[in-house]
Amino acid sequence: MTDTVRTSAPSAAAARHLRRRRARDGRFRYYGLTAIFVALGALAVLVLTIGTQAFSAATYNVVRYEVTLDPAVIAPEGANRPADISRNVEGFYGLVRDNLLKTFPEAEADRVSRRELSDFVTRLAVLPTARLVANNPELVGSTITLTAPLNDDLDLYLKGQGVRERKIKAGAVSSVQGGQDGTFLLSGTGAFEAVVAGLAVASVDRAEDAGQPDVLLTAGVSTGRLSDIDAGSARMELLTGRAQDFAQARATARIILSAESERTISDRQIAWVLALREMGRVDRVPRWTLLTNSDSTYPELAGGLAAIVGSLLTMLITALVAMPIGILAAVYLEEFAPRNRLTEFIEVNINNLAAVPSIVFGLLGAALYINFLGMPRSAPLVGGLVLALMTFPVVIIASRAALKAVPPSVRSGALAVGASQMQTVFHHVVPLAAPGILTGAILGMARALGETAPLLLIGMVAFVGDVPRSPADESTVMPVLIFSWSNNAERAWEPLTSAMIIILLAFLLVMNGLVVFLRRKYERRW
Amino acid sequence: MDTTQGTPAMMDDTLTLPRSADGAQRIDCRNIKVFYGQAQAIHDVSMSFPDRAVTALIGPSGCGKSTFLRCLNRMNDTIENCRVEGEILMDGENINDEDVDPVLLRSRVGMVFQKPNPFPKSIYDNIAYGPRIHGLANGREDLDAIVEKSLRRAGLWEEVKDRLTAPGTSLSGGQQQRLCIARAIAVQPEVILMDEPCSALDPIATARIEELIDDLRSRYCIVIVTHSMQQAARVSQRTAFFHLGNLVELGDTNQIFTNPREKRTEDYITGRFG
């Protein structure tokens, strides 16, 4: 063995070892970064999908109707009986329907099309106007502009979501000839070339069993349905408006990819809603009703007010019960209780309680509060108590951690000047731990705010159309409302659900912001 | 050099009997034993503390001097598993008796800790807290007077009189420690216990605290635990050397440092262990 071997071999090994160590460090950093990016990416995807969905529900289409408040229709009992007026939904609805029928007289022709036109507005949509007139009786007899939200399916169609269609600019139509069967022959050199090409593309996209796509042609307020289309001519069945509108006009063709029987809206309804928009009677406005209306079976009228109030009442009960109990228990366990088997047992079980699935608390609440104590079903009172049971182990654990973090020197300083143990705790330790205690309490409340499962079991899932006035009233809460809405079949509920989720997230964000604020404001160094 | 090796029992007799020049004994401890659970931390220590004098407790880390100090205001009560046996007489009353309220005792025996621990409150409230909870002040003016007097005695008044509302934690380390001393004397104690009060301070702040201790000596019985032999020599009149839970030697500071009777004391003082 020579010296060179003895000195170089260990150092080469050491160099290899060092290289491996550095590589391990580097790899670990990359794992960490990857983990962070995956987490952030998931969050971004979540917010984006919910956000875009919710964005479409943030506005909705309303239609303006010029109606004359005929006393005979809306106040048959006299204008001085506001209660009757506000309840006279049928009368106001009649005015709206008559206005629509006057705008589109062709709907008078048969019952089906009359019904299709009446579907534009739900009866209950006139309720705000009825209340307005009831409160201002001087309006009776005058002509007002009544605004009512458009039916949810048509609303979705106008937002481009309900029906898959392809818009194509048609060429100039040179002549319109009426036929004996009420249809019109439109012709013009190459007028429908683009439409024929579009149809060819569409037939490739479509499934085999789907029916023939409908082609609608719109010029101004007039719309017709095309058939027998070739490059230079097509037969048109007029749906609304006048056939002359198409002459010399460059009309817009819409290839609607699903057959009429598969859709929730008919060709005629599409024609009418396009006409209303062309007349400038449709406005897309912010949907404040999401915050000011309560739940409804009609998506265009539904809002979350009752659930928001229900959530606030429930949180109030939870806070009133869980925070004092949790904080006092934590202070006692941390500062006063002797360390022995009993307190250890209690400690372990508080931790166990925090890990119990929330639905079990719902069962407990149903059995204890409703069946045994006879409290009202579906009430925020019971919901709050159930959530309090669920929250207070969290509060205890967070508060104990905060109390533990107060340095012992503060305690001995206070004891050394002759403070009693209780004075030490309440004059010095608890004030110092307060930001931490509040943080824990608010985070526990935020978790309770988002809780659904236990509330289903105590009946808070019921449909609630009225804003609860007290914690004993029937009520629901935001997450349960989201759950109920997501179970609804109609497509319009989808963006509404997302919008409600955004509102819930906003509440949670406010609570978390409060936590950060409190911590920044009251955190003290020692 | 005295090389006589005494048994602990013999030492007790010889150590408690001599009285300091200042006369009256403020505290008289008899056969103190302290246990943490099963482990005994203090073995049968008897000693007394003269009034208007500084007694220093020295010894290597873990020798029980802080534990012994904390017996004197029953701070050991707050430690679980800690048991104190023996008599500690103050004015002829055993403070370990069941019917002695530790809260009242601690208002008579103030304490200053190793690390300055002002309350995270204003300078004023730091001082005023004790008098307030004991009801020592009649009204605001009285309280103001107590605060000023305490701060003056702690030599801090001139530095903080313009910012009494500033947080106590905003002061420098040495100022914080003097604030803690002011806080202790605000409740008008008879005894002040100091547990290594300068170990977290720089030499300049240490010098100020030592001057302060020297000033306070004229009014209080002061017991100070210290790791610094020089400090013990500078500020104390009496010194007790602890080792492994035993009181090895107690005597006038001069005698301990110039002419220790025990071999272990000599070894420690000359830096051979500890």
Side-chain angles (χ1 to χ4, degrees):
Chain A
M1 202 183 278
T2 66
D3 274 348
T4 48
V5 171
R6 274 162 72 186
T7 50
S8 64
S11 73
R16 258 203 318 279
H17 185 66
L18 191 66
R19 258 201 315 280
R20 274 207 301 276
R21 250 168 50 190
R22 282 195 186 128
R24 267 204 295 274
D25 283 3
R27 273 202 303 278
F28 183 76
R29 255 200 298 281
Y30 281 117
Y31 295 153
L33 275 178
T34 315
I36 288 173
F37 279 119
V38 167
L40 280 183
L43 184 70
V45 168
L46 176 85
V47 169
L48 269 178
T49 46
I50 296 178
T52 46
Q53 277 272 7
F55 187 72
S56 99
T59 58
Y60 66 160
N61 289 297
V62 295
V63 183
R64 278 179 278 123
Y65 305 94
E66 294 278 328
V67 293
T68 304
L69 300 171
D70 184 356
V73 178
I74 59 155
E77 312 283 328
N80 53 357
R81 301 182 61 173
D84 284 345
I85 295 177
S86 72
R87 237 180 284 126
N88 189 10
V89 170
E90 207 53 47
F92 283 93
Y93 181 66
L95 293 177
V96 170
R97 198 181 39 204
D98 291 348
N99 176 288
L100 279 172
L101 282 173
K102 209 164 75 203
T103 317
F104 304 110
E106 65 273 14
E108 296 274 19
D110 59 303
R111 270 186 55 200
V112 176
S113 53
R114 247 209 325 271
R115 212 206 56 234
E116 282 175 358
L117 190 59
S118 353
D119 275 351
F120 268 53
V121 189
T122 8
R123 280 179 163 66
L124 288 173
V126 300
L127 205 56
T129 313
R131 291 202 181 118
L132 178 79
V133 175
N135 290 335
N136 304 284
E138 70 275 6
L139 288 176
V140 174
S142 66
T143 299
I144 62 162
T145 306
L146 188 157
T147 311
L150 195 60
N151 165 297
D152 57 297
D153 290 320
L154 294 164
D155 177 53
L156 276 188
Y157 172 73
L158 287 186
K159 288 172 182 166
Q161 291 170 346
V163 173
R164 283 180 63 206
E165 65 172 19
R166 182 168 295 143
K167 267 200 279 192
I168 292 168
K169 205 84 191 144
V173 174
S174 51
S175 80
V176 179
Q177 295 169 334
Q180 305 98 323
D181 54 352
T183 61
F184 299 86
L185 187 67
L186 309 184
S187 49
T189 319
F192 301 111
E193 230 169 354
V195 179
V196 172
L199 273 173
V201 175
S203 63
V204 174
D205 288 353
R206 286 159 53 81
E208 301 224 338
D209 54 344
Q212 198 55 35
D214 282 332
V215 182
L216 300 184
L217 192 69
T218 307
V221 299
S222 307
T223 299
R225 182 162 46 204
L226 299 185
S227 51
D228 305 336
I229 308 165
D230 57 42
S233 71
R235 190 159 292 286
M236 183 183 77
E237 177 195 347
L238 192 63
L239 295 173
T240 186
R242 297 166 307 156
Q244 295 93 298
D245 286 353
F246 293 94
Q248 307 304 326
R250 283 186 64 99
T252 306
R254 287 181 159 78
I255 300 174
I256 297 181
L257 295 173
S258 44
E260 197 170 11
S261 56
E262 295 168 9
R263 278 183 255 132
T264 47
I265 52 175
S266 67
D267 288 347
R268 260 186 303 228
Q269 284 177 317
I270 292 176
W272 290 328
V273 81
L274 289 174
L276 278 176
R277 185 161 72 175
E278 193 60 36
M279 291 171 206
R281 284 173 59 180
V282 178
D283 297 307
R284 193 159 172 181
V285 297
R287 188 182 204 133
W288 296 117
T289 52
L290 205 57
L291 293 170
T292 58
N293 277 10
S294 291
D295 201 5
S296 164
T297 42
Y298 302 101
E300 69 267 30
L301 297 179
L305 181 64
I308 291 171
V309 173
S311 269
L312 292 179
L313 286 173
T314 308
M315 283 303 105
L316 185 73
I317 301 287
T318 307
L320 286 180
V321 175
M323 282 171 63
I325 293 182
I327 292 171
L328 286 178
V331 168
Y332 177 76
L333 281 175
E334 196 57 42
E335 301 290 329
F336 295 95
R339 296 268 174 281
N340 56 29
R341 269 156 193 271
L342 180 67
T343 47
E344 245 167 59
F345 178 77
I346 292 174
E347 217 164 284
V348 167
N349 280 292
I350 286 172
N351 291 341
N352 284 343
L353 209 57
V356 168
S358 58
I359 197 153
V360 177
F361 286 103
L363 278 174
L364 175 70
L368 178 68
Y369 297 128
I370 296 178
N371 291 344
F372 185 67
L373 294 175
M375 289 183 179
R377 215 167 265 281
S378 310
L381 177 66
V382 179
L385 288 173
V386 167
L387 293 179
L389 276 182
M390 206 193 77
T391 310
F392 94 88
V394 179
V395 176
I396 292 181
I397 291 169
S399 305
R400 290 190 66 178
L403 290 167
K404 236 180 221 138
V406 175
S409 68
V410 170
R411 290 183 187 84
S412 39
L415 287 173
V417 295
S420 69
Q421 201 176 357
M422 202 168 120
Q423 286 171 326
T424 304
V425 169
F426 286 102
H427 293 171
H428 298 282
V429 179
V430 170
L432 283 177
I437 292 176
L438 276 183
T439 303
I442 295 174
L443 287 181
M445 300 282 295
R447 208 189 122 196
L449 180 66
E451 201 54 70
T452 320
L455 300 180
L456 299 182
L457 289 177
I458 55 155
M460 288 190 88
V461 71
F463 177 87
V464 178
D466 293 319
V467 178
R469 286 160 193 281
S470 82
D473 286 349
E474 274 206 344
S475 168
T476 187
V477 294
M478 283 187 271
V480 177
L481 187 72
I482 290 168
F483 171 74
S484 317
W485 282 3
S486 70
N487 277 345
N488 288 343
E490 282 167 85
R491 277 213 49 196
W493 290 106
E494 218 174 286
L496 269 184
T497 308
S498 297
M500 203 60 215
I501 289 173
I502 292 287
I503 293 173
L504 177 63
L505 287 180
F507 271 84
L508 291 174
L509 220 61
V510 167
M511 290 178 90
N512 287 354
L514 196 68
V515 166
V516 174
F517 172 77
L518 284 175
R519 216 184 294 162
R520 286 271 161 80
K521 180 138 194 253
Y522 293 108
E523 194 166 58
R524 283 196 257 191
R525 294 181 174 279
W526 47 68
Chain B
M1 197 77 55
D2 190 351
T3 50
T4 2
Q5 298 281 323
T7 62
M10 276 175 61
M11 272 185 345
D12 288 341
D13 286 341
T14 51
L15 294 179
T16 41
L17 287 177
R19 302 273 150 144
S20 76
D22 285 9
Q25 299 295 325
R26 189 72 246 175
I27 305 176
D28 205 358
C29 304
R30 290 180 187 164
N31 303 91
I32 301 302
K33 299 187 187 85
V34 182
F35 301 86
Y36 291 112
Q38 295 300 312
Q40 189 165 4
I42 302 279
H43 300 272
D44 216 14
V45 169
S46 300
M47 69 181 288
S48 53
F49 299 93
D51 206 0
R52 294 167 202 277
V54 179
T55 308
L57 309 182
I58 59 171
S61 294
C63 70
K65 51 194 190 308
S66 286
T67 301
F68 182 68
L69 185 77
R70 292 161 64 90
C71 292
L72 303 179
N73 65 346
R74 284 184 59 177
M75 280 298 270
N76 284 330
D77 288 14
T78 60
I79 299 172
E80 244 167 290
N81 295 330
C82 184
R83 200 170 83 248
V84 179
E85 286 176 10
E87 283 187 330
I88 299 173
L89 299 173
M90 259 182 92
D91 298 335
E93 188 187 22
N94 180 12
I95 64 167
N96 282 340
D97 269 353
E98 287 289 317
D99 54 348
V100 169
D101 185 356
V103 168
L104 280 180
L105 171 69
R106 287 182 201 134
S107 71
R108 293 172 62 196
V109 183
M111 189 160 187
V112 177
F113 296 86
Q114 181 171 3
K115 208 173 139 244
N117 60 346
F119 302 133
K121 297 174 187 281
S122 70
I123 293 171
Y124 184 94
D125 286 335
N126 260 285
I127 310 295
Y129 179 70
R132 262 194 207 125
I133 58 170
H134 293 296
L136 295 180
N138 300 314
R140 179 82 195 185
E141 281 153 35
D142 211 6
L143 197 57
D144 288 349
I146 291 177
V147 170
E148 181 175 344
K149 198 175 77 184
S150 307
L151 284 171
R152 274 191 196 285
R153 255 189 219 167
L156 196 59
W157 176 252
E158 292 302 325
E159 291 158 61
V160 301
K161 64 181 178 190
D162 300 324
R163 46 176 181 142
L164 289 175
T165 52
T169 42
S170 67
L171 299 173
S172 74
Q175 288 174 323
Q176 286 190 20
Q177 196 59 296
R178 277 181 281 148
L179 182 67
C180 291
I181 293 173
R183 182 177 71 187
I185 58 188
V187 291
Q188 299 164 12
E190 299 151 27
V191 180
I192 300 175
L193 310 177
M194 297 186 176
D195 191 352
E196 299 181 38
C198 301
S199 65
L201 304 180
D202 66 29
I204 296 167
T206 301
R208 295 238 29 198
I209 301 278
E210 286 178 4
E211 272 169 41
L212 175 59
I213 293 171
D214 215 41
D215 287 348
L216 294 173
R217 177 160 65 95
S218 58
R219 294 169 178 277
Y220 306 97
C221 163
I222 296 175
V223 184
I224 177 169
V225 165
T226 178
H227 268 134
S228 154
M229 247 83 71
Q230 291 90 332
Q231 184 170 61
R234 281 193 299 263
V235 300
S236 72
Q237 286 72 53
R238 311 248 301 152
T239 298
F241 171 61
F242 281 72
H243 186 229
L244 299 176
N246 291 300
L247 174 59
V248 176
E249 187 167 351
L250 169 68
D252 286 340
T253 301
N254 267 336
Q255 175 254 312
I256 293 274
F257 281 96
T258 56
N259 188 22
R261 271 171 298 179
E262 292 283 332
K263 180 79 170 58
R264 278 186 288 172
T265 314
E266 190 190 342
D267 286 351
Y268 181 68
I269 288 168
T270 53
R272 246 168 268 170
F273 73 89

